[in-house]
Structures are given as C-alpha cells and as structure tokens.
Amino acid sequence: MGRRDMADIISTVEFNHTGELLATGDKGGRVVIFQREPESKNAPHSQGEYDVYSTFQSHEPEFDYLKSLEIEEKINKIKWLPQQNAAHSLLSTNDKTIKLWKITERDKRPEGYNLKDEEGKLKDLSTVTSLQVPVLKPMDLMVEVSPRRIFANGHTYHINSISVNSDCETYMSADDLRINLWHLAITDRSFNIVDIKPANMEDLTEVITASEFHPHHCNLFVYSSSKGSLRLCDMRAAALCDKHSKLFEEPEDPSNRSFFSEIISSVSDVKFSHSGRYMLTRDYLTVKVWDLNMEARPIETYQVHDYLRSKLCSLYENDCIFDKFECAWNGSDSVIMTGAYNNFFRMFDRNTKRDVTLEASRESSKPRAVLKPRRVCVGGKRRRDDISVDSLDFTKKILHTAWHPAENIIAIAATNNLYIFQDKVNSDMH
C-alpha cells in the first residue's frame, strides 16, 4: 500500500449526542461527517440512511524541527461537543494538536444591498438614489466548516484520547505519561492533572492508554494503563490527581502467567456506561465490565477471541499483539460491542449472556441484508460455515466501532470502509 492508500484508513468513529451525525477521521488527516436523512414522507417507518454531509482536512503533516520528527496528520480521536445552538462543534486531534471545529449550515443569502452590487463590489455612491431593505433569498444548502480554536503545545508525547467534560466548558487530553485539562475558550494554556512520568525514565513501568470523564459527575475521570489497571480520580480531592481515589485491578491467575501476560493485559480502551455506574474495558483477549463500587475484580468478563491464546507467538512476531481495539455500549448499557480480526466484530448481551460474532463485509452491507452469525473453530470437527482459526486474515481488523446513543445503529470501521448496520443487528441479540 502506498502512502495515498494508507491515507484512507479510518482511525476513529464517533456519533454525536443525538446520533443524527456521525464523524470519521482517517490517517490522511481528513474528517468526514455523515448526516442521517430524515424519514421519508411516503414510507414513514423507513429509517433514514447516513449520507456524506461534509468533508474537510483537519490536520496536515508537520515537522518538529527541535526533535527532527515528522508529526503525522492521522486523526487519533474525534469528540462532539453537546449542541448549544444551530451549529455543531467537534474536537479532533492528531498526536500533538487538538482543534475545535464549528459546522454551520447556510441556505439563505442576503440580496439587495444599498452600497454593494450583486458581485459584492462597492457601488459609485452618486448612483445610489434610493434606499432599500436587503432581503434573504433561499439558496442551495451550504455546509461550512471553520476552525475555531487550536490547542497546541500541550503534550510532549502522543495524544491517545480526548474527553469532553459534562460541564460542557472543559475537556481533557491524555498522552502516554500525562493528562491535561483544558478550557474550551482558552488555547494557550492547559492544567496538568495527572503526571506519571518518573524522575528517571529508566524507572518507567507503565503508560496511560486511554482516559474518559464520568458522564454525569464533572469532577470524576478514569484512566487506564498498559498494566491492565484503571484509576478513578476525583478533581475535588487534589489539583494534581496523581493519587487516585480508586484503583481497579484484577489479580493475575499465576497458572496463566506467560511471556505475553503483561502485553495482553494492557487496556486499549475504557468507556463509562451511559448510566455512569459501570466501566467497560478492552484488553487484547477480553472485554470486562467493572462496577464503580467494586475495585477488586470486574463483575463480568467476556472472551473476545479466546482461540488466539495459542497463537500469541505469531501475533507477537507480526506485531498484531499490540493492536488497540476499542469497545462500545449500546444506548441502554445492556449490550456491548468490540472488534476482532478477519473483519469480525463481537456482541455480548449482558442480560441473556448470549454472544455473537458478525462480519463486516460487502455482502453483509447490502440493504436489508440480515447479518449471519459466524463461528471460528479450533481443530477437530468443522461445521459447514465455520472458519478455521488458521485461515483468519489478521490484516483485516476492526479496531474502531461506535453505537448510536439511542437506537440499534452501529458504525464499524473496517480498514478504509465504513459499515453502518441498522435496526435489528441480530435477532438473537435483541
């Protein structure tokens, strides 16, 4: 793949708070926003499709001359701000720089100026003999995207996550060793709220992998680490949250100990449930649900692809073991979703304890296609549609997924394709 083909690879997917808009960012620094079409008058129950609403270049490649490093344009994360007026706003970040974008619509334009002609040139004042009131005339809808703020120079290391606070005034950004708190109106300074950098970098034993604000309590946030732990912090307790309020960590089973234990226990994503009571984490082989009131162990653990346990050597050699999979809750916190290899993604129903493997492919994305459950078999007898663990394609990985906040609509990024599955994702699950 050349650099140009790589540029199309989707690197983040995010619904806005109503689910009417869906944004993707890619390795080429572009943001594409999709808008859900309103239900048609003729068929009131036909759900609107998502169509491209706006595309813009968010980040360009840069060069850090002090460190002689190229800074990629790849969009690491997008976060929508809660809508305050007719305009929409989102934050997008690459490794170093966070930008605030405003998206507005124009479908009318003023006509009949007194001092300007139709082209906008100033008229000769001697020709202006009467005054008129300008009027707004309809025009084709234009979507305008404008950069409102640029938050730069806040991070020495690569930014892995941003999260907007429920106070709608502040947000945080996390890199490997530090988390900063920003005010949305102030670009030239941020407040460092977590710093795990040791005095001597040789003593470094873990890095921050993800962080998120609590959905309702603006003083609480969580961050995950490469050692598999979660730290819940309370900004009311201290300005610098190096001392966590709660540490969520599962003791390791000594019988499972191996060379890969630490790598596969690294948490690649953490998400609060909509209710705020639970946290969902993803590591290499599992997703776990944690109760905020119980630090000792997760209340639920789901195996995503346990059949890879015997393949960790080759996954280490081809670097797949370092892949960072994300996870998502449905709107009612009853089903969780995460990606896997071979363009498979997994869903776990927390109530029925049923789980299903589905595939994002051109066949499954045809209109009204029903997603067929897939099964991976390990040796022994194979059923007709089963796929052998040895024939999985590890270049096809679903790292980024998102769930509509209220409905059964999911967005799945499969390399450079975006799949949107609507309504009954799978009859077994709902």
mmCIF file of all heavy atoms in Angstrom, residues 171-188:
data_model
loop_
_atom_site.group_PDB
_atom_site.id
_atom_site.type_symbol
_atom_site.label_atom_id
_atom_site.label_comp_id
_atom_site.label_asym_id
_atom_site.label_seq_id
_atom_site.Cartn_x
_atom_site.Cartn_y
_atom_site.Cartn_z
ATOM 1 N N TYR A 171 -12.352 20.152 28.754
ATOM 2 C CA TYR A 171 -12.114 18.809 28.229
ATOM 3 C C TYR A 171 -10.716 18.400 28.640
ATOM 4 O O TYR A 171 -9.910 19.231 29.073
ATOM 5 C CB TYR A 171 -12.291 18.775 26.704
ATOM 6 C CG TYR A 171 -11.186 19.396 25.899
ATOM 7 C CD1 TYR A 171 -10.095 18.630 25.452
ATOM 8 C CD2 TYR A 171 -11.194 20.752 25.569
ATOM 9 C CE1 TYR A 171 -9.065 19.195 24.716
ATOM 10 C CE2 TYR A 171 -10.174 21.324 24.837
ATOM 11 C CZ TYR A 171 -9.112 20.537 24.413
ATOM 12 O OH TYR A 171 -8.087 21.096 23.687
ATOM 13 N N MET A 172 -10.430 17.103 28.539
ATOM 14 C CA MET A 172 -9.078 16.662 28.867
ATOM 15 C C MET A 172 -8.464 15.927 27.695
ATOM 16 O O MET A 172 -9.156 15.407 26.819
ATOM 17 C CB MET A 172 -9.057 15.797 30.126
ATOM 18 C CG MET A 172 -9.696 14.458 29.980
ATOM 19 S SD MET A 172 -9.538 13.550 31.529
ATOM 20 C CE MET A 172 -10.556 12.141 31.190
ATOM 21 N N SER A 173 -7.142 15.917 27.685
ATOM 22 C CA SER A 173 -6.394 15.187 26.670
ATOM 23 C C SER A 173 -5.309 14.398 27.388
ATOM 24 O O SER A 173 -4.693 14.895 28.330
ATOM 25 C CB SER A 173 -5.789 16.157 25.651
ATOM 26 O OG SER A 173 -4.971 17.125 26.308
ATOM 27 N N ALA A 174 -5.106 13.151 26.931
ATOM 28 C CA ALA A 174 -4.139 12.280 27.601
ATOM 29 C C ALA A 174 -3.082 11.817 26.610
ATOM 30 O O ALA A 174 -3.391 11.504 25.460
ATOM 31 C CB ALA A 174 -4.850 11.066 28.199
ATOM 32 N N ASP A 175 -1.824 11.766 27.083
ATOM 33 C CA ASP A 175 -0.780 11.105 26.313
ATOM 34 C C ASP A 175 -0.221 9.964 27.166
ATOM 35 O O ASP A 175 -0.824 9.589 28.178
ATOM 36 C CB ASP A 175 0.295 12.100 25.839
ATOM 37 C CG ASP A 175 1.107 12.713 26.983
ATOM 38 O OD1 ASP A 175 1.222 12.088 28.061
ATOM 39 O OD2 ASP A 175 1.648 13.819 26.794
ATOM 40 N N ASP A 176 0.918 9.403 26.774
ATOM 41 C CA ASP A 176 1.461 8.240 27.481
ATOM 42 C C ASP A 176 1.697 8.493 28.970
ATOM 43 O O ASP A 176 1.561 7.577 29.782
ATOM 44 C CB ASP A 176 2.810 7.820 26.860
ATOM 45 C CG ASP A 176 2.627 7.290 25.449
ATOM 46 O OD1 ASP A 176 1.482 6.980 25.090
ATOM 47 O OD2 ASP A 176 3.625 7.199 24.711
ATOM 48 N N LEU A 177 2.074 9.724 29.328
ATOM 49 C CA LEU A 177 2.500 9.962 30.708
ATOM 50 C C LEU A 177 1.734 11.069 31.421
ATOM 51 O O LEU A 177 1.861 11.212 32.636
ATOM 52 C CB LEU A 177 4.006 10.311 30.741
ATOM 53 C CG LEU A 177 4.945 9.216 30.197
ATOM 54 C CD1 LEU A 177 6.392 9.670 30.276
ATOM 55 C CD2 LEU A 177 4.777 7.916 30.970
ATOM 56 N N ARG A 178 0.958 11.852 30.680
ATOM 57 C CA ARG A 178 0.299 12.992 31.341
ATOM 58 C C ARG A 178 -1.120 13.184 30.832
ATOM 59 O O ARG A 178 -1.443 12.849 29.696
ATOM 60 C CB ARG A 178 1.079 14.282 31.069
ATOM 61 C CG ARG A 178 2.484 14.268 31.664
ATOM 62 C CD ARG A 178 3.080 15.667 31.668
ATOM 63 N NE ARG A 178 4.399 15.654 32.281
ATOM 64 C CZ ARG A 178 5.543 15.729 31.602
ATOM 65 N NH1 ARG A 178 5.516 15.808 30.286
ATOM 66 N NH2 ARG A 178 6.691 15.740 32.235
ATOM 67 N N ILE A 179 -1.948 13.763 31.700
ATOM 68 C CA ILE A 179 -3.305 14.159 31.295
ATOM 69 C C ILE A 179 -3.454 15.649 31.585
ATOM 70 O O ILE A 179 -3.115 16.113 32.685
ATOM 71 C CB ILE A 179 -4.384 13.351 32.056
ATOM 72 C CG1 ILE A 179 -4.205 11.851 31.784
ATOM 73 C CG2 ILE A 179 -5.786 13.799 31.642
ATOM 74 C CD1 ILE A 179 -5.167 10.959 32.556
ATOM 75 N N ASN A 180 -3.942 16.389 30.594
ATOM 76 C CA ASN A 180 -4.132 17.836 30.738
ATOM 77 C C ASN A 180 -5.608 18.187 30.701
ATOM 78 O O ASN A 180 -6.384 17.576 29.968
ATOM 79 C CB ASN A 180 -3.427 18.589 29.600
ATOM 80 C CG ASN A 180 -1.917 18.500 29.703
ATOM 81 O OD1 ASN A 180 -1.373 18.288 30.783
ATOM 82 N ND2 ASN A 180 -1.239 18.667 28.579
ATOM 83 N N LEU A 181 -5.967 19.212 31.471
ATOM 84 C CA LEU A 181 -7.329 19.752 31.477
ATOM 85 C C LEU A 181 -7.294 21.097 30.755
ATOM 86 O O LEU A 181 -6.460 21.948 31.054
ATOM 87 C CB LEU A 181 -7.804 19.922 32.921
ATOM 88 C CG LEU A 181 -9.222 20.454 33.121
ATOM 89 C CD1 LEU A 181 -10.242 19.412 32.677
ATOM 90 C CD2 LEU A 181 -9.453 20.822 34.584
ATOM 91 N N TRP A 182 -8.192 21.258 29.792
ATOM 92 C CA TRP A 182 -8.259 22.494 29.002
ATOM 93 C C TRP A 182 -9.613 23.164 29.204
ATOM 94 O O TRP A 182 -10.616 22.481 29.410
ATOM 95 C CB TRP A 182 -8.136 22.205 27.507
ATOM 96 C CG TRP A 182 -6.915 21.491 27.041
ATOM 97 C CD1 TRP A 182 -6.670 20.151 27.106
ATOM 98 C CD2 TRP A 182 -5.769 22.070 26.402
ATOM 99 N NE1 TRP A 182 -5.445 19.852 26.541
ATOM 100 C CE2 TRP A 182 -4.871 21.014 26.096
ATOM 101 C CE3 TRP A 182 -5.414 23.386 26.032
ATOM 102 C CZ2 TRP A 182 -3.648 21.236 25.457
ATOM 103 C CZ3 TRP A 182 -4.197 23.589 25.389
ATOM 104 C CH2 TRP A 182 -3.325 22.528 25.117
ATOM 105 N N HIS A 183 -9.639 24.475 29.083
ATOM 106 C CA HIS A 183 -10.915 25.183 28.959
ATOM 107 C C HIS A 183 -11.158 25.400 27.469
ATOM 108 O O HIS A 183 -10.239 25.759 26.733
ATOM 109 C CB HIS A 183 -10.859 26.526 29.687
ATOM 110 C CG HIS A 183 -12.215 27.131 29.883
ATOM 111 N ND1 HIS A 183 -12.940 27.689 28.851
ATOM 112 C CD2 HIS A 183 -13.011 27.228 30.976
ATOM 113 C CE1 HIS A 183 -14.112 28.112 29.303
ATOM 114 N NE2 HIS A 183 -14.182 27.842 30.586
ATOM 115 N N LEU A 184 -12.389 25.158 27.024
ATOM 116 C CA LEU A 184 -12.678 25.236 25.593
ATOM 117 C C LEU A 184 -12.433 26.628 25.014
ATOM 118 O O LEU A 184 -12.255 26.777 23.809
ATOM 119 C CB LEU A 184 -14.128 24.812 25.324
ATOM 120 C CG LEU A 184 -14.337 23.288 25.336
ATOM 121 C CD1 LEU A 184 -15.794 22.935 25.568
ATOM 122 C CD2 LEU A 184 -13.817 22.659 24.042
ATOM 123 N N ALA A 185 -12.409 27.657 25.895
ATOM 124 C CA ALA A 185 -12.228 29.020 25.395
ATOM 125 C C ALA A 185 -10.775 29.476 25.467
ATOM 126 O O ALA A 185 -10.442 30.557 24.985
ATOM 127 C CB ALA A 185 -13.117 29.980 26.190
ATOM 128 N N ILE A 186 -9.898 28.678 26.073
ATOM 129 C CA ILE A 186 -8.508 29.118 26.297
ATOM 130 C C ILE A 186 -7.550 28.157 25.600
ATOM 131 O O ILE A 186 -7.497 26.972 25.932
ATOM 132 C CB ILE A 186 -8.183 29.177 27.814
ATOM 133 C CG1 ILE A 186 -9.168 30.112 28.516
ATOM 134 C CG2 ILE A 186 -6.740 29.624 28.037
ATOM 135 C CD1 ILE A 186 -9.137 30.029 30.018
ATOM 136 N N THR A 187 -6.800 28.670 24.638
ATOM 137 C CA THR A 187 -5.956 27.771 23.840
ATOM 138 C C THR A 187 -4.500 27.766 24.282
ATOM 139 O O THR A 187 -3.772 26.836 23.976
ATOM 140 C CB THR A 187 -5.988 28.181 22.356
ATOM 141 O OG1 THR A 187 -5.559 29.548 22.271
ATOM 142 C CG2 THR A 187 -7.376 28.038 21.770
ATOM 143 N N ASP A 188 -4.047 28.811 24.974
ATOM 144 C CA ASP A 188 -2.600 28.920 25.188
ATOM 145 C C ASP A 188 -2.122 28.307 26.502
ATOM 146 O O ASP A 188 -0.945 28.368 26.827
ATOM 147 C CB ASP A 188 -2.150 30.388 25.095
ATOM 148 C CG ASP A 188 -2.876 31.271 26.114
ATOM 149 O OD1 ASP A 188 -3.777 30.746 26.801
ATOM 150 O OD2 ASP A 188 -2.540 32.465 26.208
#
